[in-house]
Amino acid sequence: MSASGGPIARLIQQLGKLPGIGQKTAARLAFHILRASPEDAVDLACAITELRARIRLCGVCWDFTEDEPCAICRDARRDTALVCVVAQPQDVIAIERTGGYRGRYHVLHGVLSPLDGIGPEDLRIDELIRRCGGNEVKEVIVATNPSVEGETTSVYLSKLLRPLGIKVSRIATGVPMGGELEYADRLTLARAIDGRREI
Amino acid sequence: MRLRAIRIRGWRNLETVTFSPGPRVTVFHGDNGQGKTNFLEAAYFLAEFRSWRTKTAPDLVQWGQQAARLDGQVEVGGLDRKVEIEVAGGRKTTRVDGKTARRDATSLRGLAVVLFVPEDLQLPRAAPAARRAFVDRSIFGVDRGYYAEALAYQRVLRSRNAILRQGLADGTLLDTYDDQLARLGARLVVRRRDVVSALRPRVEALFERIHGPLSAEIRYHGHAEVEKAEGESGVESALAEGLRTRRGLDQRRRFTGFGPHTDDLAIRLDGRLAVEHGSQGQLRSLVLAMKLAELAYVHEALGEAPILLLDDVASELDQRRRQQLFETIAGLPGQTFITVTDRTFVPQLPGREDFSVVAGRLAPGGPGAP
Ligand SMILES: Nc1ncnc2c1ncn2[C@@H]1O[C@H](COP(=O)(O)OP(=O)(O)O)[C@@H](O)[C@H]1O
Ligand SMILES: [Mg+2]
Ligand SMILES: [Zn+2]
């Protein structure tokens, strides 16, 4: 139908780079966009452009944000002494949905995974240590997944943070073994935060 | 576990067939290369969600076909369950009662087979990994969750080795992996010790029955300093300590040379290492005793017989040991599937049903031995 390199082929190629989208699905989406109303298509394009233009990383917690620092880091009602460490920005959304957590966050953007070539320097770990070096932070909750990599990351962090006098705990109960934090239901997650154990 | 029926489609060289084995002994006979082992492999896959012959699922798909499918009806703990396996597009899907099920799901307890293949006869002479696998299989047969524990240990081990290879000098990072390795490793050691203790008296008694009055002993064998440690936390400390003291060596060699991944199963006859002092016949009797001990252990722990799968083993054993094996099988309450090239190797057994396998086609092969 379209020569390779044409607009359709280009869109299919770009969509195909998204996680979980194969060539077939990419083609289906591309033709869907083509058939949608012009306004919808332009809205989608603008949303993507705006996303990249306006969203940055918060310089305090490294979550995605429009403002610097982010709304959570600016919220004076939230406890600055308590920091919940998560692997991904999606995990912040999952924990916020529980409605019960009143501390702050720190987003690592991954977990330690030597088999994938991901070491401490690839994560926002130095930033966390620096943040905990002051007098403000007293307790850190590590909320990485209970996978081998998530567990290892939490042990590594506790080894770095405890000498700084920080109380380190791990959310352990509730989140099923091998389960993804992102998909854990709200109640389970809330219970997990309450039942955290010190490591 | 009992296999009530299995529908096989696109599996290796087998023709599409729905097969309902009897409650006791099923004999598959035929010339070499006809597909007898392929039947055993299908039954094995239904319980194990993998094959002992290949790690690459697409090997199982009949050449020129898109997919291989097994639909099994099994009875486990008095409950009828439906097991579906599909291998297609390079991936396998495993479902139990309509829901995707993983190999390590503890809810699948009782879905169990014990496999005996000619390579097992090399067990005393094989590399330690084969003997560790023997120990691990007995644990897994009773607790499928053990698979996840063993995998987690392997993953931490491979991660630590990756760090050693990269020559990273982050001491805290290595401390972290040491901690994890010690914690997960202690769990493996304790479980392996326990199962070997449960197998030991059985091996001893079975060997005497099969071979005669000579004491056979199996013992889990780890590093000296870990051997002395008791209980999971004791073993964990000993493993952590061992990793710490050998770190320099590990860093020079760029791999982890200490831990349960290097352990072994020591097999002795009258106190002497069987592999060095045992005769060929004694070693064969030992393996037979070990396999029958595994069967008895899993049977007792589950409260129900696993399916025994014997691939071409009869032809590898002499008259006496073959007779011992079949006497045991005659006394088993569960199902046994046997492959042989020569039906006369298998004696008349209770409930025996024969099937011939020719070019992947199954045909009822007359009742009992000819
Ligand atoms: N994926 C496959 N598709 C078709 N045939 C296969 C496949 N894999 C193996 N075979 C054939 O299966 C036969 C071996 O079957 P097997 O069960 O091992 O024989 P045996 O009766 O000796 O136990 C061989 O003829 C081999 O070519
Ligand atoms: Mg064969
Ligand atoms: Zn922030």
Side-chain angles (χ1 to χ4, degrees), chain A residues 120-159:
Chain A
E121 66 289 350
D122 301 305
L123 307 172
R124 299 284 175 183
I125 291 180
D126 279 345
E127 289 85 346
L128 176 67
I129 304 304
R130 243 176 283 131
R131 197 175 163 192
C132 293
N135 281 326
E136 228 165 31
V137 180
K138 303 275 184 264
E139 181 181 355
V140 164
I141 305 172
V142 186
T144 49
N145 286 334
S147 62
V148 164
E149 282 74 18
E151 284 292 330
T152 309
T153 305
S154 81
V155 173
Y156 182 67
L157 292 179
S158 80
K159 284 187 188 301

Side-chain angles (χ1 to χ4, degrees), chain B residues 153-167:
Chain B
Y153 178 84
Q154 284 300 330
R155 197 162 172 84
V156 175
L157 177 65
R158 283 169 48 219
S159 301
R160 188 179 190 268
N161 287 340
I163 292 168
L164 292 171
R165 267 198 310 280
Q166 291 157 21

